[in-house]
Amino acid sequence: MQIKHRAVLSALLLSVPLAAASLQQTTSRPFTVEQILGFPSPENLIASPVGSTIAWTFNERGVRNIYVAYGPAFEPRRVTAYREDDGQELTQLSFSPDGATIVYVRGGDHGSNRQGDAPPNPAGSTVQPKIQVWSIAVGGGTPKLVGEGDSPAIAPDNKRVAFVKNRQIWVAPVEGAKPAQQAFYARGTSESPAWSPDGRTLAFVSSRNDHSFIGLFTDGGPIRFVAPSTFRDSMPAWSHDGRHLAFLRQPGAGGPPRAPLAPQDTPPWSIVVAEVHSGAPAAGDTDGNAAVTTAATSGRAPVDPILRNPGGIGLQWAADDALIYMSYVDGFPHLYAIQHAGRSDKSGQPVLLTPGPFMVEQVALTPDRRFAVYNANTGAEPGDLDRRHLFKVPVSGATKPVALTSGAGIEWSPTLTADGRTLAFLSSNTQQPPAPAVVPVSGGSPRAIGANLLPADFPASRLVTPRLVSFRASDGVDVHGQLFEPADAGDARLTGRKPAVVYIHGGGPRQMLLGWHYRWEYANDYGANQYLASRGFVVLSVDYRLSVGYGEAFQFAENTGARGAAEYRDILAAGRYLQTRANVEPSRIGVWGASYGGYLTALALGRNSDVFAAGVDIHGVHDRLPAVNAMQQARAIAGDNISEADLRQALKVAFESSPVAAVPTWKSPVLLIHGDDDNTVDFHQTVDLERRLLAKGVNVETLVLPDDVHDALLWRNWTAEIGAMAGFFERTLKMKK
């Protein structure tokens, strides 16, 4: 790490008590950044197709490994032996059909779009890391290298793995006994391999830039394309008997140019079901003329924006040739089912399975495929709007959903063991960080897995319980947030009014919760807010417009981002809400956030230094003009110029929506944090803003993370970031002794 300004260095040493001149911890037993971020973070929970085995990954202070547990005891056992905080992801776990092997991907930055760039190397290895497909026996042993690539799909014969390398499909033995071979040649790029149930045919997406096909490859035969058109086809899913292939169809790129300030639009989509056959076709036969049925569409205006939702469309085949999928057509993302999809004599209309004003997010099918288990932000408890609970509903729609979990916890990533007896999931609450858990499908109390893996010094008992609050923006929009209030444990200096901080999550389509978050980066942010509360700060986490969980009008609000930054009103409202609270010192309010949260943090400091006295901006966007200029240049090359008046207005609004436009009124000190291998937000955004602010005379501090990415891959960089952030607020917002 390169650190500017000596004062920031002290922030990295927050594992020791602060100097006497600083105000002390609000509890009698202070904890450190390393302790609050020291929890093992679980991801990639999967269930074996055989028996009662489950597997997942744990990120333990940056050391990532695969764990396995067998029912009914479900005692966790580590099966890989990685030992370093090296920033190499473990993703895309899958069991072989016989349950004997786990295939996974190691390396890469799957939270970004790196295109053809080299994989990240945040630990500074002298050997360039690679993105590789590996396999390991469920019982443990030495991992076997399958090949360099991504997106693996295990064949039904348990012997082969198809994966993507250099945007083509390759195949290798699952045990890595022979080098991988390119499966076939196809023009364009090939991705998303999916084996037919009999293992004879490989479906894939063949992208041709402005359109794409669903391709079929069978040994000994030519490539076949399913109902080729000018559309963009993707997400192939085989029916369980292999007779039908469902896929998503969207319009090809093109059409009349749109003014940059026009409301955001999602192209209409449809779910198409084609009757296909596995194996080599008969002479003269082709799937180009396969019987095709449009099973579902996005409907009429307003166009269903589900494809811009984090959960996506979630297309799956259920029992009796039913298709389930997600749609936003009623204003919330919900689960729908189509009975006998693809059969013109029986196929019915989509049926809503999960009615209500809430968001369905993740869905799993029971082993018999007759029930769907999902998580949603609803329930009987106050505050469930900002939680997740698990529910079960029959795919037939014959009965209403039934709650499987409830209370003040948060549950996600449902998966069911193949024996049908156990529901496994990930869970957390306000004090306990994320961990795997199981509950009998027949009913009973959930049981945590691997509780003994939580470090003994994790400060669960010293964490505060955030509560749901709401406030109103200047244009009348109601905004929700989670309020963290420190406990006063006998320190007279912290009674009465306290410094406060507004926290802004990233991404836009995210939602912070009343407890530890289900995504690692936001779980770390939740821990950071708890750490700030432990040091005497009131913290308000804001779910600004663009956040998920509150309905279509809120998530897809108009005039946001480069079109006017309307969502900034919610941030300003949060700051002014804190100013009205009796326990907050109105002149000592800070603001922090990463990515989109960094963008809004910079807007807050530039536009309202009168409200926000200091801020920490982590890899935020500061200049919106490059994106608008790039869009216009692309259209000019294609001969589709928008009008000069529209372009001038778009450039004006984009500039006014940018933090760089607010530099003339920016007075508050800022700490800028950025990894310089960020493929989501250009590192130059931070370089440029710093130069502008220094020229203006603003107090700027920086923390640069060499070779790390947008959401830092190294645990030690997370502790450095949050330690620096807390130390910065200690210096800028707390009153001197």
Side-chain angles (χ1 to χ4, degrees), residues 141-503:
T142 302
K144 307 293 186 182
L145 177 62
V146 176
E148 187 176 344
D150 211 342
S151 304
I154 308 174
D157 63 7
N158 303 292
K159 297 178 180 179
R160 297 167 294 161
V161 180
F163 55 91
V164 178
K165 176 183 177 181
N166 298 329
R167 301 195 177 186
Q168 296 295 326
I169 307 296
W170 291 60
V171 176
V174 71
E175 75 280 5
K178 296 180 180 179
Q181 299 290 327
Q182 187 169 333
F184 53 83
Y185 164 77
R187 192 169 67 86
T189 62
S190 301
E191 56 193 18
S192 304
W195 294 97
S196 61
D198 63 8
R200 298 175 64 193
T201 301
L202 192 65
F204 64 98
V205 175
S206 179
S207 177
R208 311 296 177 89
N209 293 323
D210 60 353
H211 66 287
S212 58
F213 304 140
I214 302 299
L216 300 176
F217 165 71
T218 304
D219 279 335
I223 300 295
R224 296 171 284 155
F225 296 107
V226 180
S229 70
T230 62
F231 286 77
R232 289 181 294 128
D233 296 340
S234 62
M235 303 183 188
W238 290 93
S239 63
H240 297 283
D241 61 8
R243 295 176 55 190
H244 293 91
L245 192 68
F247 55 91
L248 181 71
R249 173 161 282 182
Q250 299 171 265
R258 297 178 60 84
L261 292 180
Q264 295 187 50
D265 190 16
T266 298
W269 56 262
S270 61
I271 296 173
V272 176
V273 178
E275 186 175 350
V276 297
H277 49 258
S278 181
D285 194 6
T286 174
D287 285 295
N289 297 316
V292 172
T293 302
T294 299
T297 67
S298 56
R300 299 180 179 178
V303 173
D304 184 351
I306 187 65
L307 297 177
R308 287 193 277 135
N309 201 59
I313 200 163
L315 187 62
Q316 296 185 67
W317 287 92
D320 300 324
D321 288 330
L323 270 176
I324 64 170
Y325 67 97
M326 300 279 287
S327 176
Y328 222 136
V329 71
D330 71 343
F332 283 88
H334 278 300
L335 187 63
Y336 288 78
I338 307 168
Q339 303 300 321
H340 306 290
R343 295 187 56 177
S344 58
D345 58 332
K346 289 188 176 182
S347 185
Q349 295 297 312
V351 174
L352 173 62
L353 300 181
T354 57
F358 57 82
M359 174 182 70
V360 173
E361 196 165 37
Q362 300 159 338
V363 182
L365 291 173
T366 55
D368 62 6
R369 304 189 301 277
R370 297 190 178 279
F371 290 86
V373 176
Y374 63 92
N375 73 333
N377 64 328
T378 186
E381 297 293 328
D384 279 343
L385 178 70
D386 281 16
R387 297 190 184 100
R388 299 288 187 272
H389 294 310
L390 300 177
F391 301 83
K392 178 181 177 181
V393 65
V395 173
S396 66
T399 58
K400 295 181 179 180
V402 174
L404 299 178
T405 62
S406 60
I410 298 166
E411 299 87 35
W412 67 95
S413 293
T415 186
L416 292 111
T417 56
D419 60 8
R421 297 178 181 177
T422 305
L423 170 64
F425 56 95
L426 302 178
S427 68
S428 69
N429 59 34
T430 55
Q431 276 76 34
Q432 296 298 321
V438 292
V439 65
V441 172
S442 58
S445 299
R447 175 164 55 94
I449 296 175
N452 61 313
L453 297 176
L454 185 66
D457 63 352
F458 183 80
S461 63
R462 287 171 277 170
L463 304 185
V464 302
T465 299
R467 59 189 180 90
L468 183 64
V469 297
S470 61
F471 43 91
R472 182 162 292 181
S474 60
D475 57 353
V477 172
D478 289 325
V479 185
H480 296 286
Q482 303 84 34
L483 186 67
F484 300 71
E485 295 182 286
D488 292 326
D491 192 333
R493 291 172 296 175
L494 287 179
T495 58
R497 295 186 180 271
K498 303 173 177 63
V501 175
V502 172
Y503 162 74

Side-chain angles (χ1 to χ4, degrees), residues 44 46-49 53-57 66-70 77-80 91-105 133-140 142-144 146 152 154 158 161 174-175:
N44 306 299
I46 57 172
S48 170
T53 308
I54 61 174
W56 68 94
T57 59
I66 297 174
Y67 280 73
V68 168
Y70 301 93
R77 183 172 56 84
R78 193 184 68 188
V79 296
T80 56
T91 59
Q92 302 174 68
L93 273 64
S94 59
F95 279 99
S96 58
D98 62 6
T101 304
I102 294 175
V103 169
Y104 62 99
V105 173
V133 179
W134 293 81
S135 67
I136 189 168
V138 171
T142 302
K144 307 293 186 182
V146 176
I154 308 174
N158 303 292
V161 180
V174 71
E175 75 280 5

Side-chain angles (χ1 to χ4, degrees), residues 526-660:
Y526 178 86
N529 289 333
Q530 286 281 2
Y531 184 73
L532 288 173
S534 78
R535 306 207 70 83
F537 293 90
V538 175
V539 181
L540 176 57
S541 171
V542 184
D543 284 326
Y544 54 92
R545 67 193 81 179
L546 297 179
S547 299
V548 301
Y550 307 104
E552 180 180 15
F554 194 84
Q555 183 181 347
F556 302 101
E558 295 182 356
N559 304 321
T560 55
R563 293 174 172 83
E567 69 277 26
Y568 171 68
R569 295 170 181 167
D570 306 340
I571 308 307
L572 180 57
R576 288 179 171 161
Y577 167 80
L578 285 174
Q579 287 182 320
T580 67
R581 296 191 60 80
N583 62 343
V584 171
E585 171 54 52
S587 64
R588 295 188 288 138
I589 295 175
V591 58
W592 83 280
S595 193
Y596 210 102
Y599 160 65
L600 292 172
T601 291
L603 275 183
L605 297 171
R607 292 183 177 183
N608 289 103
S609 286
D610 58 325
V611 175
F612 300 102
V616 178
D617 168 3
I618 305 176
H619 50 246
V621 172
H622 308 125
D623 187 354
R624 292 282 191 173
L625 286 177
V628 177
N629 281 323
M631 177 174 59
Q632 170 59 10
Q633 290 169 8
R635 288 177 174 167
I637 293 171
D640 278 340
N641 290 320
I642 60 176
S643 73
E644 186 176 339
D646 282 346
L647 177 60
R648 282 200 304 268
Q649 181 63 14
L651 293 173
K652 178 177 182 294
V653 172
F655 176 72
E656 292 172 349
S657 303
S658 302
V660 293

